[in-house]
């Protein structure tokens, strides 16, 4: 039986973009001598005062950047929400100063306007954004010309509380519940019973306003993984009280942890009440409560897993597991000890607790995984692992079962050609532009591949067309999906 070794060395070809540079840039600019600005620290917290709109709120100071010569520099002061977009396309530029100026101040009104502009950049699909205390980050980027990448300063941060500058008399709800425990252990046998009774003081959004309240949870802002946009709405109501059940909190917590790709378990969360009204695109959030919650969701456990799978003589095999109430299931497979880094998803969206898998699917999966793991022997025997993921809602991140190992024997008797072809997004999937892996004396295959965009998708074929066998698939975030 012949063995295939796939060694693919990947060199990502970098395109060097040339821009017009001034003679001054060419003559004097030196990456080694250039030093970015150093931004001074800000107060840890700041509450913007709507009654002192023309008073200075924050002053930003930084040491001047050094370019190695007397350059004309533009310093851009940038602001973004911590953990959101990393100063991407949603950031707000607070000022652009040309020359040696290294100090800028903003009044309460100016700063508030900028913060609200930043919130608008992060509005949801309906255009709604929440006015709430937010952890902001600031930096200075220094530019001498379009021909050079900007120098980026250190990042400083401050937790800022803005106000609604269009309706300064508006007030958020105030949670008034007094019998809230700091720790809650949810119970599967008490799903419909009250776990957390909430009451709050009515928000004010104008006279006779019909206000809707959203009970929201997120990780606390003190958590280093906190992300403003990952909050989960537990329930909505027009009343000023609501009794959250064990199931309400359990399902919301599982969804929240899924957004953060965290395992389900005891978690400290922040809970707040957001108020809005019809035709008003903003929401005012209450001060949050911090609670530690232990969910009741169970881990799926395999009840049926064969010790061996003979894909040559057998026809199909069955997997079964214990139910996790309210969950859907995803069945995954990977090479043993690969930690599911290139997992093949055999089935998704299952509502039953068993899966029958035929040999054709398993054979395809094992061969794909062999190639996906790169330079792994395509032997006729291989230990693989299976696991089940129980998830809720539309998320695919949930509770994982323990991985089970199975010894798999599969048919590897196919004729091996002299050449394999690598086709993919890098060559616009054109077979006449593919690169090759050549058969060696030891019946392995080797090649030197120069390509980019392999993460956009690739396949290996045994013919320079789609008429023969092929292996591979788009790989998204390190996951091979069949």
């Amino acid at each position: 039986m012949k063995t295939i070794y796939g060694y693919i060395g990947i060199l990502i070809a970098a395109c060097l973009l040339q821009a017009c540079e001034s003679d001054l840039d060419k003559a004097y600019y030196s990456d080694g001598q250039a030093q970015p600005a150093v931004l001074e620290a800000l107060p840890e917290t700041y509450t913007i005062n709507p009654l002192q709109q023309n008073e200075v709120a924050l002053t930003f100071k930084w040491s001047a950047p050094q370019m190695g010569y007397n350059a004309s520099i533009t310093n851009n002061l940038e602001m973004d929400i911590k953990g959101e977009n990393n100063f991407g396309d949603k950031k707000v530029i607070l000022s652009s100063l040309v020359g040696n100026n290294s100090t800028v101040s903003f009044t309460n009104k100016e700063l508030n306007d900028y913060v609200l502009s930043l919130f608008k950049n992060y509005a949801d699909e309906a255009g709604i954004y929440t006015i709430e205390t937010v952890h902001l980050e600031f930096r200075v980027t220094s530019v001498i010309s379009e021909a050079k990448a900007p120098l980026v300063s250190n990042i400083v941060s401050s937790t800022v509380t803005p106000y609604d500058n269009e309706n300064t008399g508006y007030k958020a709800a105030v949670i008034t519940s007094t019998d809230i425990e700091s720790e809650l252990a949810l119970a599967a046998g008490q799903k419909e019973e009250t776990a957390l009774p909430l009451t709050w003081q009515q928000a004010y959004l104008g006279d006779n306003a019909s206000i809707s309240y959203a009970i929201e949870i997120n990780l606390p802002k003190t958590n280093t993984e906190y992300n403003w946009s990952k909050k989960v709405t537990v329930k909505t109501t027009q009343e000023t009280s609501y009794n959250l059940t064990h199931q309400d909190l359990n399902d919301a917590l599982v969804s929240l942890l899924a957004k953060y790709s965290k395992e389900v378990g005891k978690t400290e969360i922040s809970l707040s009440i957001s108020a809005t009204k019809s035709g008003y695109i903003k929401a005012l959030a209450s001060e949050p409560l911090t609670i530690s919650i232990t969910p009741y969701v169970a881990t799926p456990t395999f009840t049926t897993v064969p010790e061996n799978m003979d894909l040559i003589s057998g026809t199909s095999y069955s997997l079964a597991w214990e139910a996790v109430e309210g969950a859907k299931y995803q069945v995954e497979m990977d090479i043993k000890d690969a930690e599911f880094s290139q997992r093949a998803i055999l089935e998704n969206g299952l509502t039953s607790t068993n899966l029958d898998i035929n040999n054709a699917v398993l054979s395809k999966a094992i061969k794909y995984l062999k190639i996906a793991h790169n330079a792994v022997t395509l032997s006729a025997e291989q230990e693989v692992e299976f696991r089940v993921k129980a998830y809720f809602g539309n998320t695919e991140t949930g509770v994982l079962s323990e991985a089970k190992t199975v010894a798999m024997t599969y048919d590897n008797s196919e004729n091996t050609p002299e050449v394999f072809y690598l086709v993919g997004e890098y060559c616009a999937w054109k077979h006449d532009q593919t690169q090759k892996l050549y058969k060696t004396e030891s019946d392995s295959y080797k090649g030197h591949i120069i390509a980019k965009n392999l993460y956009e998708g690739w396949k290996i074929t045994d013919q320079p067309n789609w008429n023969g066998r092929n292996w591979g698939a788009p790989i998204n975030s390190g996951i091979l999906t069949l």
Side-chain angles (χ1 to χ4, degrees):
M1 187 173 295
K2 297 184 179 179
T3 303
I4 303 174
Y5 293 87
Y7 292 98
I8 304 178
I10 302 175
L11 297 176
I12 300 178
C15 297
L16 301 178
L17 303 177
Q18 296 186 354
C20 296
E21 301 179 347
S22 69
D23 291 338
L24 203 56
D25 287 342
K26 293 178 180 178
Y28 297 100
Y29 180 78
S30 169
D31 287 333
Q33 295 180 3
Q35 298 294 327
V38 177
L39 192 56
E40 293 184 6
L42 295 171
E44 290 186 5
T45 61
Y46 184 76
T47 299
I48 304 176
N49 191 340
L51 302 179
Q52 298 178 341
Q53 296 192 20
N54 295 322
E55 298 294 324
V56 172
L58 292 178
T59 296
F60 296 84
K61 299 179 180 179
W62 58 90
S63 64
Q66 303 299 318
M67 299 297 180
Y69 69 100
N70 188 22
S72 177
I73 303 171
T74 299
N75 293 310
N76 298 314
L77 178 61
E78 301 175 351
M79 177 178 71
D80 205 349
I81 297 174
K82 182 179 181 181
E84 291 293 324
N85 200 30
N86 195 27
F87 292 95
D89 57 353
K90 295 181 181 180
K91 69 177 183 288
V92 169
I93 297 177
L94 303 181
S95 69
S96 294
L97 301 179
V98 179
N100 296 324
N101 294 325
S102 58
T103 301
V104 62
S105 297
F106 299 97
T107 65
N108 282 301
K109 184 180 186 309
E110 290 170 336
L111 180 61
N112 198 74
D113 288 346
Y114 281 125
V115 173
L116 295 187
S117 294
L118 186 60
F119 282 163
K120 291 178 182 178
N121 292 344
Y122 284 98
D124 64 18
E125 294 180 356
I128 295 175
Y129 58 94
T130 303
I131 300 175
E132 61 182 351
T133 300
V134 62
H135 195 166
L136 298 174
E137 291 185 328
F138 304 86
R139 72 179 188 182
V140 173
T141 58
S142 303
V143 181
I144 57 172
S145 74
E146 295 180 357
K148 300 296 181 185
L151 295 179
V152 180
S153 76
N154 60 310
I155 294 175
V156 300
S157 63
S158 182
T159 300
V160 176
T161 302
Y163 62 88
D164 184 349
N165 61 0
E166 295 179 5
N167 299 280
T168 56
Y170 283 13
K171 294 182 180 179
V174 177
I175 298 176
T176 56
S177 302
T178 57
D179 53 351
I180 296 177
E181 299 179 3
S182 60
E183 293 193 7
L184 289 176
L186 305 178
Q190 299 175 294
K191 291 182 179 179
E192 302 304 320
E193 296 182 21
T194 297
L196 182 62
L198 288 174
T199 58
W200 55 90
Q201 180 180 315
Q202 183 176 0
Y204 179 72
L205 299 179
D207 294 339
N208 303 316
S210 177
I211 300 175
S212 295
Y213 299 97
I215 304 171
E216 300 171 340
I217 65 170
N218 203 340
L219 294 183
K221 293 176 182 177
T222 54
N223 191 308
T224 56
E225 297 181 72
Y226 169 79
N227 188 314
W228 182 63
S229 64
K230 291 184 178 180
K231 62 187 175 185
V232 170
T233 298
V234 186
K235 289 292 179 180
T236 59
T237 180
Q238 290 188 316
E239 304 298 326
T240 56
S241 64
Y242 199 96
N243 292 330
L244 294 176
T245 66
H246 287 255
Q247 184 166 359
D248 292 336
L249 286 171
N250 185 81
D251 293 350
L253 179 57
V254 170
S255 296
L256 177 67
L257 295 176
K259 288 187 176 184
Y260 281 97
S261 299
K262 295 174 69 70
E263 296 298 326
V264 175
K266 183 178 180 180
T267 306
E268 186 176 66
I269 60 100
S270 176
L271 182 147
S272 60
I273 311 293
S274 289
T276 190
K277 65 178 180 179
S278 177
Y280 184 60
I281 64 171
K282 307 168 189 177
L284 298 183
S286 71
E287 288 297 315
L289 298 174
T290 300
I291 310 171
S292 182
I293 299 179
T294 301
Y296 61 71
V297 62
T299 299
T301 303
F302 276 114
T303 56
T304 302
V305 180
E307 292 184 2
N308 300 282
M309 290 183 173
D310 186 348
L311 307 188
I312 299 174
S313 59
T315 57
S316 65
Y317 293 90
S318 297
L319 302 175
W321 53 91
E322 293 179 353
V324 175
E325 188 168 348
K328 293 183 180 180
Y329 306 99
Q330 178 170 291
V331 181
E332 303 173 354
M333 166 183 159
D334 206 344
I335 304 298
K336 184 182 178 183
D337 297 327
E339 298 182 349
F340 291 87
S341 61
Q342 295 284 4
R343 63 184 181 268
I345 298 174
L346 301 178
E347 193 68 52
N348 179 270
L350 284 169
T351 55
S352 63
T353 57
N354 64 282
L355 176 65
D356 294 326
I357 320 171
N358 63 45
N359 285 2
V361 172
L362 290 170
S363 295
K364 183 179 180 182
I366 186 64
K367 293 176 182 179
Y368 274 18
L369 287 170
K370 288 287 198 170
I371 295 176
H373 279 291
N374 203 8
V376 178
T377 304
L378 281 173
S379 63
E381 295 182 359
Q382 176 66 54
E383 285 191 317
V384 300
E385 291 181 322
F386 293 91
R387 72 181 183 187
V388 174
K389 181 184 298 179
Y391 63 94
F392 301 82
N394 296 319
T395 179
E396 293 185 1
T397 304
V399 188
L400 294 170
S401 73
E402 181 182 353
K404 292 295 184 181
T405 301
V406 176
M408 184 177 288
T409 303
Y410 59 97
D411 185 2
N412 192 40
S413 61
E414 299 162 313
N415 293 327
T416 54
E418 295 299 315
V419 177
F420 276 106
Y421 303 87
L422 180 70
V423 64
E425 187 66 30
Y426 80 94
C427 64
W429 299 96
K430 296 180 179 179
H431 286 284
D432 59 350
Q433 297 180 24
T434 58
Q435 299 186 54
K436 302 175 182 178
L437 301 172
Y438 294 94
K439 187 176 181 181
T440 66
E441 293 181 358
S442 62
D443 286 341
S444 65
Y445 286 78
K446 295 183 179 180
H448 192 64
I449 306 299
I450 302 176
K452 61 180 180 178
N453 295 334
L454 287 184
Y455 272 86
E456 300 297 326
W458 56 269
K459 284 183 179 290
I460 290 177
T461 66
D462 62 358
Q463 298 181 30
N465 50 52
W466 296 115
N467 297 331
R469 296 170 296 156
N470 65 80
W471 303 268
I475 298 180
N476 298 314
S477 301
I479 301 171
L480 174 64
T481 303
L482 301 183

